[in-house]
Amino acid sequence: MPSSSRHPLRQWIWRAFVQSALIPLILVESVLIAVYLLSNQAIRDAQISHLQETAVKDLASAALREGQIIDGRLRSIESLLQVYRDATHDALLDSRFQADDLERARHSLTDSGVFYTRSDDGRAASFYANSTPLAQQDHAKVMRLSQVDPLMRSIRHANPLVAALYFNSWDSYNRIYPWFDTPAQYPHDMVIPDYNFYYLADAKHNPERKVVWTDVYLDPAGLGWTMSVIAPVYRESFLEGVVGLDVTVGQVLSEIAELNVPWRGYAMLVSHDYNIMALPEAGELDFGLRELTQYSYEEAVRREVLKPEDFNLAKREGMEPLLEAMSEGPGGVQEVLLGGRNQLVAWSEIPQTGWRLLLVVDEEQVFHDTNQLSERYMQIGYLLIAGLLAFYLLFFALMWLRSRHLSDQLAKPISGIVDMATRLGEGRDLPVAPDSHIHEVRRLADAMQRAGKQLKASEQERLEAQSILQLVLDSTTESLWEIDSRALTIELSERFVRRFGLGGTHLTLSEFNQRVHPDDLERLRHLRKQFADNGDEHFDAEYRYLDCRGEYLWLLSRGKVLARDESGWPLRIAGTHVDITRLKQVQEELRHASLEALAASQAKSRFLSSMSHELRTPLNAIHGFAQLIEMEAQDKADARLETDYSREIVSASRHLTSLVDDILDLSSIESRRQQLQLQAIDIGTLLSGCAELVQPEVQQKRLHLQVMDPADPPLFVQGDPRRVRQILLNLLSNAIKYNSPRGMIRMGYEVRADCVRLWVDDTGPGLSSEQQAQLFQPFQRLGRESSNIPGTGIGLVLCRELATLMDGEIGLRSEPGVGSCFWLDLPSAASPDALGDESHEAAPQTVQSLVQVLCVEDHPACMRILQASLREFAEVRGVSSCKSALAVLQESEPALLLLDIDLPDGSGLDVLDAMRLEPRLRNIPVIVISAVADDRLFEDARARGAAACLSKPVDLQEVRQLALSLLYSGF
């Protein structure tokens, strides 16, 4: 065909479309649709406007009328409640009333401490929860309340809306009619003031002491979903309890169902905060809810359960116009979309409760006549549409004939071009371009031919580059991957596929995730989502992947975004997989080693703590009885031998106690549990105080002690006073034990450039260099293990650890035959501010009469020691358990309490807590005496109200002074 007859494709298609379709389609369709819509809409709008005005007035009147009916029913229930409240108040105050034998026989006690009625007998059920201990339960009040049972029965039968009557007290007592098995229904440890049918009537929520209606809640008594009218019962200003009448949701629904709602509508009840309180069956479909009238009590209700948020209109979509209209006035009408239909909602407010009665009517029922007229016009419209469809059939028949002619002109050349594109995609040689009389088709075929030649050359270059790149990647990393987020697929390298035995290089993410370890899959998905949502450029994740041998290997997957869409969402991400299995194995081995070390340390600490308790209890008996013997024998001239023996026993027990303390201190330091209180310490006061403590032992050994004069002005160091004194006393003790006969001990200080050095010098035998190298090792006594000099070899180890914790350092200078000088370097400190008033002097040592002291101690020997030590001024009564102690405290108020912590039936701290909760016992001073010498335990005891804490074995003189101080210093 000559080239002059060729025309552009656009021109061919445009001419055919204009001549065959465009003009008739626009004219016919526009005219028919306009006539139908305009006529039908005009008539419908006129009818709806008139009917809507009439419906709004009728609905508003109906809502007001029916709301008054509901208000009258509620007022009658409130009147009954007031009568019941007055009767309950009088019964609580009637102390002369005596319950009959039947009422007393009905009550029983469960093993858990619940006081309840076990039989019906036509009377109310009674339940006293064990959240109030049995000793504190007021059973006389229970019997007095039985006189209102006839009134409860009469009210229940008089009003069918009343499902149950009850009285709840401040101490979790419940009396309810009709009777049911309360222990089987209620939780035994029920705390009634935590429920809304109690606290809504208390002084905080109801200061005016008026009648209050609750929201719908799940009744613990088994009535299901219930609302209550409640009122407080006061004895003067004290809230004795709350009376209430239960009305179930099912009963409210029955009342609402009897209301006269026009247009086949229904009524529903809504609270002041827009919670649906009663919804009939007709409304369940509209709101997509199932009204809660029953509940399956598979276990006792242990908490307050209100209706779900789905029953709140404010939480539901599309209710905003109705809520805004309801907030503007107590009544009105609003159009709302419910159940997929337009419905009219009228409301009126119930004054007694602030609730709203809603009448819901289907707008289709209201506009039924208008809709019939509209249907007639719709029939006319259907005829018009049928005519339009007939036209379209003729039109498309003509278009089909035209399209066949056009396809004949385009199909062959386009088919040839498609074949060229297919061969181009398969990488084969292209055929000759097809000829066509359409100019654009011819140009497209020629361009396809040229593109094939260029792609062939480019493919050859790409294969060569890919071969080089793959060789480099195989030698540097594990494998490559690329993810297409739109198709949710992942492209993997051949090496990864072979290594893990996958089905191919192109997988969906779901197929790839099947090999991920189940414990890592959710974390991997979360990391992917977080990476996409945060807009990060780099992706990093570690997870386990199943290889072809069925073993999980750890992979490190790292990638980067290659392309994003306009919103920033990543479209393509590429990265690498690296095998880190060996690294994870090493990490796991290190973790197991750390856990084993930690377990060993904890086992050691538990052993030392147990050993302390087991040693201190018998030591307390030895130490105490020895002191008692010494005190008894001091005033007897013929008991000098007994006095010497008792002193030796006291000295030995003190030495054993010191050994236990050193071991525990060393264990506490090693586990870094040592708590230090750093402050400025006066060096002069510190040295003189330590010298006074060791002076008796120095004189006994016939040694000489010299202390350097204090500096003027005073010097201060930074440290924990107790621990610094412990270090110096340890150094002085070693200087005394290992000194030469009639030797010299000197103690002083030295100001250095970066610290202050405290030193203790002796004239003992000195230490060789080999002995100095072993000096600070635990349990090392340098060959003196079999000597008669007492010691454990851990004192200096403890001193070094304490010095390190205070940012200090300990060391020595020693020369055999000359002596040794041990020193302690501590940071210097500025002078502290002036202290406040000095502590009060000890309590007077004379008393006028014996005071009552209660001792809680399960070890008989320890009990006898404490009783003997205080017998001059106190009468000590002993008990051996928590239960016995609480029983004694309920009957009496001792002036002082000596309390052990580790008791057979619990912890002594529980007794301390119970005392602080009772105003009568709150101010009794308490001295805690325990064999568990734990600073944290003693701090806990002080925080709970203990006045002082002592560890066993105790110094009886210290106990006496401390007891006198607490008894006569106005503690």
Side-chain angles (χ1 to χ4, degrees):
M1 182 177 294
S3 60
S4 60
S5 63
R6 295 176 181 173
H7 302 285
L9 180 60
R10 175 184 177 185
Q11 185 178 355
W12 279 68
I13 297 176
W14 176 249
R15 286 180 180 179
F17 181 75
V18 170
Q19 294 172 359
S20 305
L22 186 58
I23 295 175
L25 176 64
I26 292 176
L27 289 176
V28 175
E29 185 174 6
S30 299
V31 171
L32 292 178
I33 293 178
V35 170
Y36 166 72
L37 292 179
L38 291 176
S39 60
N40 189 37
Q41 188 66 32
I43 297 174
R44 181 180 176 86
D45 290 345
Q47 291 291 333
I48 289 178
S49 177
H50 172 73
L51 290 178
Q52 188 171 12
E53 292 177 0
T54 304
V56 167
K57 293 179 182 178
D58 293 345
L59 269 179
S61 300
L64 180 61
R65 180 181 66 253
E66 303 304 330
Q68 292 173 350
I69 294 175
I70 295 297
D71 183 63
R73 300 289 176 83
L74 297 181
R75 287 179 182 273
S76 66
I77 295 176
E78 291 180 2
S79 299
L80 294 175
L81 177 67
Q82 292 175 353
V83 172
Y84 176 45
R85 175 175 64 179
D86 295 340
T88 302
H89 178 268
D90 296 339
L92 288 172
L93 298 180
D94 187 6
S95 59
R96 295 173 299 175
F97 176 79
Q98 297 294 327
D100 56 19
D101 295 338
L102 175 60
E103 183 63 20
R104 287 191 293 269
R106 293 174 65 230
H107 285 78
S108 181
L109 189 66
T110 68
D111 295 339
S112 60
V114 172
F115 188 67
Y116 75 104
T117 53
R118 58 188 175 183
S119 61
D120 187 348
D121 303 310
R123 304 187 182 189
S126 181
F127 179 83
Y128 223 133
N130 63 12
S131 55
T132 300
L134 184 61
Q136 300 177 13
Q137 294 180 4
D138 189 356
H139 293 174
K141 172 176 65 179
V142 176
M143 297 302 164
R144 290 197 301 272
L145 286 173
S146 65
Q147 59 185 304
V148 299
D149 285 3
L151 176 61
M152 297 172 73
R153 183 168 54 253
S154 298
I155 293 175
R156 169 71 172 80
H157 295 158
N159 195 319
L161 282 179
V162 177
L165 297 87
Y166 58 84
F167 167 76
N168 291 320
S169 69
W170 62 273
D171 55 350
S172 295
Y173 169 71
N174 170 254
R175 191 172 193 92
I176 185 168
Y177 182 88
W179 183 92
F180 60 93
D181 189 3
T182 52
Q185 179 67 27
Y186 288 153
H188 290 195
D189 57 353
M190 186 179 187
V191 181
I192 292 179
D194 290 346
Y195 291 80
N196 67 340
F197 51 74
Y198 186 98
Y199 66 72
L200 288 178
D202 61 22
K204 177 180 177 182
H205 297 85
N206 186 17
E208 298 175 359
R209 303 183 181 181
K210 60 183 182 179
V211 176
V212 180
W213 282 88
T214 70
D215 287 336
V216 176
Y217 64 95
L218 182 61
D219 182 31
L223 294 179
W225 294 96
T226 306
M227 60 187 76
S228 296
V229 56
I230 58 176
V233 179
Y234 280 86
R235 176 168 49 81
E236 296 181 355
S237 61
F238 180 74
L239 179 61
E240 283 286 349
V242 176
V243 295
L245 275 64
D246 284 343
V247 180
T248 65
V249 172
Q251 292 171 318
V252 176
L253 289 175
S254 299
E255 288 293 318
I256 291 178
E258 296 177 2
L259 298 179
N260 184 19
V261 182
W263 293 299
R264 301 178 183 178
Y266 61 89
M268 57 185 290
L269 198 61
V270 178
S271 68
H272 64 279
D273 54 355
Y274 306 120
N275 281 322
I276 300 175
M277 303 182 68
L279 182 67
E281 292 183 1
E284 291 180 351
L285 294 177
D286 289 343
F287 286 87
L289 295 174
R290 183 71 175 175
E291 178 58 275
L292 306 176
T293 57
Q294 296 181 351
Y295 186 81
S296 177
Y297 287 84
E298 295 180 359
E299 61 177 6
V301 178
R302 294 185 174 272
R303 59 184 178 85
E304 178 186 76
V305 180
L306 303 178
K307 274 194 172 183
E309 290 187 355
D310 292 343
F311 283 81
N312 191 293
L313 295 181
K315 303 295 184 179
R316 302 190 64 84
E317 184 178 356
M319 293 291 105
E320 292 81 7
L322 176 61
L323 298 182
E324 291 177 2
M326 291 173 65
S327 64
E328 294 175 359
V333 180
Q334 179 66 37
E335 184 180 18
V336 178
L337 181 65
L338 281 177
R341 308 187 309 277
N342 289 330
Q343 306 203 41
L344 295 179
V345 179
W347 69 91
S348 64
E349 184 174 317
I350 300 174
Q352 283 299 104
T353 60
W355 299 343
R356 292 176 176 87
L357 178 67
L358 274 62
L359 304 184
V360 183
V361 178
D362 192 345
E363 193 174 79
E364 184 178 356
Q365 294 292 331
V366 178
F367 304 140
H368 179 70
D369 295 339
T370 304
N371 291 334
Q372 284 185 341
L373 180 60
S374 177
E375 288 178 1
R376 294 176 184 175
Y377 281 95
M378 287 295 294
Q379 293 174 358
I380 298 173
Y382 292 151
L383 294 176
L384 294 176
I385 295 174
L388 188 61
L389 290 175
F391 169 77
Y392 281 152
L393 290 176
L394 296 174
F395 172 74
F396 281 110
L398 180 60
M399 288 296 296
W400 180 74
L401 295 175
R402 297 286 295 175
S403 65
R404 287 196 62 182
H405 175 69
L406 182 60
S407 64
D408 291 339
Q409 298 294 325
L410 297 176
K412 185 175 180 180
I414 291 178
S415 178
I417 295 174
V418 170
D419 183 59
M420 293 178 66
T422 302
R423 295 173 68 90
L424 180 62
E426 295 174 353
R428 297 186 293 170
D429 295 337
L430 296 180
V432 178
D435 192 11
S436 176
H437 60 275
I438 301 176
H439 181 66
E440 285 80 359
V441 174
R442 179 65 185 180
R443 289 185 57 192
L444 179 60
D446 294 340
M448 187 68 69
Q449 193 77 26
R450 292 193 299 270
K453 295 178 181 179
Q454 292 177 358
L455 284 175
K456 185 175 182 181
S458 299
E459 180 67 15
Q460 185 65 30
E461 294 177 358
R462 186 189 67 82
L463 292 175
E464 295 177 357
Q466 184 178 3
S467 177
I468 297 173
L469 178 61
Q470 188 64 40
L471 180 62
V472 174
L473 291 175
D474 288 344
S475 62
T476 57
T477 186
E478 181 69 24
S479 61
L480 297 175
W481 55 265
E482 181 177 341
I483 291 179
D484 185 342
S485 63
R486 290 174 296 188
L488 295 179
T489 59
I490 183 170
E491 189 74 24
L492 301 167
S493 64
E494 289 287 350
R495 181 176 181 182
F496 188 88
V497 172
R498 293 193 304 270
R499 173 77 181 276
F500 291 91
L502 300 177
T505 59
H506 188 79
L507 302 174
T508 64
L509 285 178
S510 177
E511 293 172 340
F512 179 82
N513 290 344
Q514 291 177 1
R515 293 290 193 94
V516 178
H517 195 283
D519 295 341
D520 300 336
L521 182 56
E522 288 303 322
R523 177 172 53 84
L524 178 60
R525 287 174 174 166
H526 175 72
L527 290 175
R528 288 173 179 166
K529 185 177 184 302
Q530 186 179 29
F531 165 73
D533 293 341
N534 295 343
D536 297 335
E537 288 296 327
H538 296 277
F539 174 76
D540 196 336
E542 296 179 2
Y543 53 90
R544 288 163 287 183
Y545 204 76
L546 188 66
D547 67 359
C548 59
R549 297 175 297 178
E551 298 178 357
Y552 280 103
L553 302 181
W554 277 97
L555 295 181
L556 171 60
S557 180
R558 287 178 174 171
K560 183 178 181 181
V561 177
L562 300 181
R564 296 182 182 272
D565 60 13
E566 296 178 354
S567 63
W569 183 264
L571 299 178
R572 293 173 55 234
I573 309 100
T576 61
H577 284 132
V578 178
D579 187 348
I580 59 170
T581 304
R582 181 54 186 164
L583 177 61
K584 285 292 184 177
Q585 290 174 351
V586 173
Q587 292 177 351
E588 185 66 16
E589 291 172 359
L590 291 176
R591 188 180 70 85
H592 279 298
S594 299
L595 291 176
E596 290 176 357
L598 178 61
S601 176
Q602 293 174 346
K604 179 200 68 176
S605 299
R606 290 193 298 269
F607 167 74
L608 291 177
S609 176
S610 176
M611 182 191 71
S612 167
H613 181 272
E614 295 300 325
L615 290 178
R616 285 179 182 274
T617 299
L619 281 176
N620 183 58
I622 297 172
H623 191 69
F625 280 119
Q627 292 180 80
L628 291 176
I629 296 173
E630 182 181 4
M631 294 167 59
E632 293 289 341
Q634 281 180 349
D635 299 331
K636 298 179 181 180
D638 57 346
R640 183 169 183 178
L641 184 60
E642 288 83 349
T643 302
D644 293 340
Y645 288 166
S646 63
R647 287 175 180 172
E648 288 297 329
I649 297 174
V650 170
S651 176
S653 63
R654 285 176 178 169
H655 175 65
L656 289 176
T657 303
S658 176
L659 295 182
V660 173
D661 290 341
D662 285 347
I663 293 174
L664 290 178
D665 280 345
L666 181 61
S667 170
S668 179
I669 291 175
E670 288 177 350
S671 60
R672 291 297 181 265
R673 291 187 288 105
Q674 191 74 21
Q675 300 295 326
L676 300 179
Q677 298 180 355
L678 301 180
Q679 61 187 59
I681 306 172
D682 185 353
I683 294 178
T685 303
L686 175 67
L687 297 182
S688 61
C690 292
E692 283 185 27
L693 291 175
V694 301
Q695 190 62 41
E697 192 174 358
V698 170
Q699 294 176 354
Q700 183 181 3
K701 295 286 186 177
R702 298 183 179 181
L703 302 174
H704 299 282
L705 175 62
Q706 293 182 355
V707 182
M708 182 181 293
D709 294 335
D712 189 16
L715 287 175
F716 295 87
V717 293
Q718 186 77 12
D720 185 305
R722 185 170 69 91
R723 294 307 184 183
V724 174
R725 186 181 297 108
Q726 181 180 354
I727 294 174
L728 291 179
L729 290 175
N730 194 298
L731 298 180
L732 286 170
S733 176
N734 287 343
I736 294 172
K737 289 190 292 186
Y738 301 112
N739 212 328
S740 301
R742 300 185 181 274
M744 174 69 69
I745 301 173
R746 295 183 300 161
M747 184 168 55
Y749 59 88
E750 176 186 346
V751 180
R752 303 176 71 86
D754 56 346
C755 63
V756 176
R757 173 167 292 183
L758 309 177
W759 49 264
V760 175
D761 188 20
D762 65 66
T763 57
L767 300 172
S768 64
S769 57
E770 292 80 5
Q771 290 176 320
Q772 294 181 36
Q774 303 175 5
L775 188 62
F776 290 98
Q777 298 180 11
F779 309 105
Q780 178 59 256
R781 297 195 62 197
L782 307 180
R784 296 182 174 89
E785 291 82 1
S786 59
S787 66
N788 59 357
I789 301 176
T792 61
I794 62 174
L796 289 178
V797 179
L798 178 62
C799 291
R800 183 181 63 180
E801 296 294 339
L802 290 173
T804 302
L805 290 177
M806 292 185 291
D807 295 330
E809 185 180 359
I810 193 169
L812 79 154
R813 298 187 306 273
S814 182
E815 183 178 349
V818 177
S820 302
C821 178
F822 286 82
W823 48 264
L824 170 64
D825 289 347
L826 291 173
S828 59
S831 175
D833 296 333
L835 298 175
D837 297 337
E838 296 295 329
S839 60
H840 298 292
E841 296 296 329
Q845 297 299 314
T846 60
V847 294
Q848 300 300 324
S849 61
L850 294 179
V851 297
Q852 299 297 317
V853 176
L854 176 62
C855 179
V856 185
E857 170 63 62
D858 63 327
H859 197 277
C862 295
M863 176 78 73
R864 292 174 55 193
I865 292 171
L866 293 173
Q867 289 175 331
S869 64
L870 304 181
R871 63 189 177 188
E872 296 180 5
F873 58 87
E875 180 181 348
V876 182
R877 180 180 180 181
V879 295
S880 61
S881 65
C882 294
K883 183 177 181 181
S884 301
L886 292 175
V888 172
L889 290 173
Q890 288 295 326
E891 299 173 356
S892 62
E893 298 181 20
L896 177 66
L897 177 66
L898 305 179
L899 179 63
D900 192 7
I901 293 180
D902 190 9
L903 296 171
D905 59 344
S907 172
L909 298 180
D910 296 336
V911 178
L912 196 59
D913 291 340
M915 292 178 62
R916 298 311 169 223
L917 293 175
E918 179 67 35
R920 182 176 57 86
L921 307 174
R922 187 175 299 160
N923 296 324
I924 297 177
V926 178
I927 302 177
V928 171
I929 302 176
S930 174
V932 180
D934 191 333
D935 291 341
R936 290 183 298 178
L937 181 63
F938 286 168
E939 287 297 330
D940 186 19
R942 293 188 185 96
R944 299 190 186 191
C949 298
L950 300 176
S951 60
K952 297 178 181 179
V954 296
D955 188 327
L956 297 184
Q957 189 64 27
E958 181 182 4
V959 174
R960 288 165 56 86
Q961 293 178 357
L962 184 57
L964 288 170
S965 174
L966 293 176
L967 289 171
Y968 300 103
S969 64
F971 173 79

